[in-house]
Amino acid sequence: METTERPLPELVTVAQRQAAATGFAWSCIPEVGRLLMLAAAAKPAGVIAESGTGVGVGAAWLHAGLGEHASLVTVEQEPDRAARAAALFAADPRVEVLVGDWRLLEAHAPFDVFFCDGGGKREDPERVVDLLAPGGLLLLDDFTPSNHWPPRHNGEIDELRLFYLSHPKLCATEVMTTPTSSAIIATRLSAAPNR
Ligand SMILES: C[S@@+](CC[C@H](N)C(=O)[O-])C[C@H]1O[C@@H](n2cnc3c(N)ncnc32)[C@H](O)[C@@H]1O
C-alpha cells in the first residue's frame, strides 16, 4: 500500500493536479505507478509504450523510470487530454505523445514495456501480446482480485484475465495493488515455454 508521506515524482504531482482540475478520474493509482516506474527502469534503453495517456499521470510514472537512452511513446484518442500530457513532456525529446487510436502505437513496436490502459486490452489482446519484444513487460491494471482459478469476476469466469494469465507466449502473474484491486504483470517469452 502507498503511504501518503512517500514523495511522488514531480511530474506525477503536476499531472495529478491536471487530472483533478479537469475532473479526469481514471489516472492510475500510485501503487500501479510505482510498478510502471520500476518496469521502465528495468529496460534502460527500451521502447516504453502506453495506450490511453489520459492527462499523463501514468506516463509521468513511466517517465520517472525512463533511462537516458530509452524512449516513451503514449497515445490518447481525446485531443484535449493528449495536449495536456504533451505539454508535460515538451522539454524531453525522449517522449512522444500521439493523438488518435491506440493502433498508432504499432509503428513504434516492438515494446520493451507496454502499459496497455486505453485501447487494445479488450479489443485485440492477441495483438497486444504480439507488440511485445522478447522479454518485454506488459502491465494491465484495474482488475478485481479473485481467489478462484480460473479467475472470476461477478461470479463469471474472467475470460480476459484468463487470456493474459495463461497465454502461451507470456509468463504472467497477478499482484495486489490495493486490498480491492490487482494488476497483471507479464513478460513475453522468447521461446516456447517449458511448463
Ligand atoms: C484509464 S484512462 C488512462 C489513464 C492513464 N493511463 C494513466 O495511468 O494516467 C484510459 C484512457 O484511454 C483513452 N482511450 C480509450 N480507448 C482508446 C483508444 N482506442 N485509443 C487511444 N486512447 C484510448 C481514454 O480516452 C482515456 O483517456
Side-chain angles (χ1 to χ4, degrees):
M1 289 281 288
E2 182 80 4
T3 77
T4 49
E5 291 87 25
R6 190 167 180 190
L8 301 175
E10 190 181 335
L11 283 184
V12 171
T13 304
V14 177
Q16 285 181 338
R17 282 199 200 113
Q18 296 219 48
T22 57
F24 183 77
W26 303 282
S27 302
C28 66
I29 58 175
E31 288 84 346
V32 171
R34 293 200 188 276
L35 287 175
L36 299 178
M37 181 170 63
L38 178 155
K43 305 285 182 179
V47 178
I48 316 298
E50 177 189 40
S51 74
T53 317
V55 295
V57 173
W61 278 110
L62 291 164
H63 184 259
L66 201 65
E68 190 185 343
H69 301 293
S71 62
L72 168 60
V73 59
T74 177
V75 65
E76 170 56 52
Q77 67 182 6
E78 292 288 329
D80 181 60
R81 291 177 195 162
R84 287 177 188 280
L88 272 183
F89 306 109
D92 192 334
R94 296 171 302 170
V95 183
E96 191 173 359
V97 180
L98 308 174
V99 191
D101 187 66
W102 77 282
R103 288 186 190 276
L104 291 176
L105 286 177
E106 294 189 8
H108 301 259
F111 304 136
D112 298 293
V113 176
F114 187 11
F115 179 36
C116 187
D117 199 32
K121 177 178 174 179
R122 291 176 195 285
E123 306 95 295
D124 198 349
E126 201 67 62
R127 187 70 186 132
V128 167
V129 173
D130 281 342
L131 292 176
L132 293 168
L137 298 169
L138 174 65
L139 296 106
L140 306 154
D141 70 350
D142 289 338
F143 291 98
T144 303
S146 162
N147 289 331
H148 299 275
W149 186 262
R152 290 178 174 267
H153 184 54
N154 291 336
E156 304 288 323
I157 291 178
D158 187 342
E159 298 289 351
L160 186 68
R161 192 172 354 179
L162 186 59
F163 171 90
Y164 287 109
L165 287 173
S166 57
H167 195 288
K169 291 180 183 168
L170 297 176
C171 178
T173 191
E174 187 173 352
V175 294
M176 301 282 282
T177 45
T178 71
T180 56
S181 64
S182 64
I184 291 176
I185 306 177
T187 189
R188 169 80 191 242
L189 299 165
S190 43
N194 181 22
R195 61 191 161 85

